[in-house]
Amino acid sequence: MTVENLSEVTETEATDTTEVPAPVGDADIERALEAILMVADEPMSIVTLATAVGAPVKRVRQAIDVLVEDFDGEAPGGSVRRGFELREVGGGWRVYVRAEYDQVVAGYVLQQNPTKLSQAALETLAVIAYKQPISRGAIASIRAVNVDSVVRTLLGRGLITELFTDSETGAINYGTTDLLLTQLGINSVDELPKISPLLADGAEGFDADVR
């Protein structure tokens, strides 16, 4: 190896700051996965989870089964059934509120959050209302900004909901809820005002024949 090549290697190593997650001890894998799933806002595949904790896919599958039983109160050693569950959706795993507690959680969120939405939330809500069903990636493409936190806010307010998960891409598609219709005083999204006349060229991210 020449001095020049050695210099290039050294420089590359110095500038490469990518950090590889440290492997999690076998005894802590279940708890590590639980922590990751608690903050995930989209379903996570087994491979993604295995990479995150630095463990074999087979071991992670076993850990997921343990967590499902634990959350459901069916663990061999005994556990309490939680108000949330670990559910497989679109080839990935995510923590969800149990169906029987949906109304309680929705009511709490609506009481705790201020009624006024931010400009970003209003714009994102408009995109979803007019383009539903639509994925988070498509929303971000139209608005040209990251919309993760705004989508979570709208979900928490009960103004939008997850309609389905694309079987090919795994992307969640969103739509509006009856609560939004009630807030707007309309019976369906078909009654939303047409926006094409308000756009400079009738497009700008929306179809020309949009409502």
Side-chain angles (χ1 to χ4, degrees):
M1 177 180 290
T2 65
V3 174
E4 289 80 4
N5 290 337
L6 178 60
S7 176
E8 290 177 1
V9 171
T10 303
E11 182 178 358
T12 300
E13 291 177 344
T15 57
D16 186 4
T17 58
T18 303
E19 294 186 5
V20 178
V24 175
D26 187 75
D28 295 324
I29 288 180
E30 282 79 10
R31 300 287 76 84
L33 291 173
E34 181 178 359
I36 292 172
L37 289 164
M38 282 296 182
V39 300
D41 53 14
E42 287 192 352
M44 300 186 68
S45 69
I46 293 292
V47 173
T48 299
L49 291 170
T51 301
V53 298
V57 170
K58 182 178 180 180
R59 175 66 180 91
V60 172
R61 289 185 187 279
Q62 294 173 344
I64 289 294
D65 290 339
V66 170
L67 289 177
V68 170
E69 291 184 342
D70 185 17
F71 294 173
D72 289 346
E74 300 174 354
S79 60
V80 178
R81 188 169 185 267
R82 314 290 180 80
F84 50 84
E85 63 182 334
L86 187 54
R87 192 187 310 165
E88 184 176 17
V89 177
W93 291 88
R94 186 182 176 191
V95 174
Y96 288 87
V97 173
R98 290 192 186 277
E100 58 262 43
Y101 302 117
D102 277 346
Q103 291 186 346
V104 175
V105 173
Y108 169 77
V109 171
L110 289 174
Q111 289 177 0
Q112 296 298 314
N113 284 289
T115 57
K116 186 176 181 180
L117 292 174
S118 66
Q119 184 64 32
L122 287 172
E123 292 175 2
T124 300
L125 183 57
V127 171
I128 296 173
Y130 282 96
K131 298 288 289 182
Q132 61 185 305
I134 184 170
S135 67
R136 188 176 309 193
I139 300 170
S141 178
I142 291 173
R143 295 204 55 231
V145 295
N146 186 293
V147 297
D148 290 356
S149 62
V150 177
V151 168
R152 284 196 295 270
T153 295
L154 295 175
L155 283 169
R157 297 288 187 87
L159 297 174
I160 64 172
T161 187
E162 298 176 0
L163 297 178
F164 62 89
T165 301
D166 189 287
S167 59
E168 295 185 358
T169 65
I172 297 174
N173 280 255
Y174 299 91
T176 53
T177 64
D178 290 341
L179 176 60
L180 176 63
L181 299 181
T182 300
Q183 296 289 338
L184 295 177
I186 58 178
N187 294 313
S188 73
V189 292
D190 293 330
E191 297 180 31
L192 288 170
K194 295 182 181 297
I195 64 171
S196 295
L198 303 177
L199 300 177
D201 59 359
E204 294 186 12
F206 289 89
D207 295 332
D209 60 349
V210 74
R211 301 182 189 86

